[in-house]
């Protein structure tokens, strides 16, 4: 489970680097989502955070890009 994955991240330097790299990518993604939700009227933005916590960044990031593009198209059509 999660505990095993977290404890194995320190098993060797390569695993520790991969874990740190993933953690930095997730933090940057969350900051990016926060910034974009302030500048764009994104509905369902929280789905990206749920996807990130349950599945991972590989689902959350493309989902966010899709939602952002749909919001931009909606904004263009409205005005």
């Amino acid at each position: 489970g999660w505990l095993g994955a977290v404890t194995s991240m320190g098993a060797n330097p390569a695993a520790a680097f991969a874990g740190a790299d993933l953690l930095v990518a997730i933090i940057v993604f969350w900051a990016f989502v926060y910034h974009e939700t302030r500048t764009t009227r994104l509905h369902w933005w929280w789905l990206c955070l749920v996807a990130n916590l349950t599945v991972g960044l590989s689902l959350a990031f493309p989902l966010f890009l899709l939602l952002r593009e749909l919001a931009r198209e909606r904004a263009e059509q409205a005005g």
Side-chain angles (χ1 to χ4, degrees), residues 32-78:
F32 182 59
V33 169
Y34 177 79
H35 172 72
E36 286 293 314
T37 56
R38 299 295 174 242
T39 59
T40 310
R41 296 189 58 92
L42 280 175
H43 301 292
W44 305 96
W45 62 269
W46 53 270
L47 265 176
C48 300
L49 301 183
V50 171
N52 184 226
L53 292 172
T54 57
V55 177
L57 199 55
S58 60
L59 172 65
F61 188 59
L63 177 63
F64 174 75
L65 294 177
L66 173 68
L67 293 175
R68 186 178 70 162
E69 190 62 30
L70 291 174
R72 287 183 177 181
E73 287 178 6
R74 207 172 24 245
E76 283 181 10
Q77 291 175 354

Side-chain angles (χ1 to χ4, degrees), residues 2-28:
W2 281 98
L3 185 57
V6 170
T7 56
S8 67
M9 283 183 6
N12 58 51
F17 180 77
D21 189 45
L22 183 61
L23 184 62
V24 168
I26 290 170
I27 291 169
V28 168

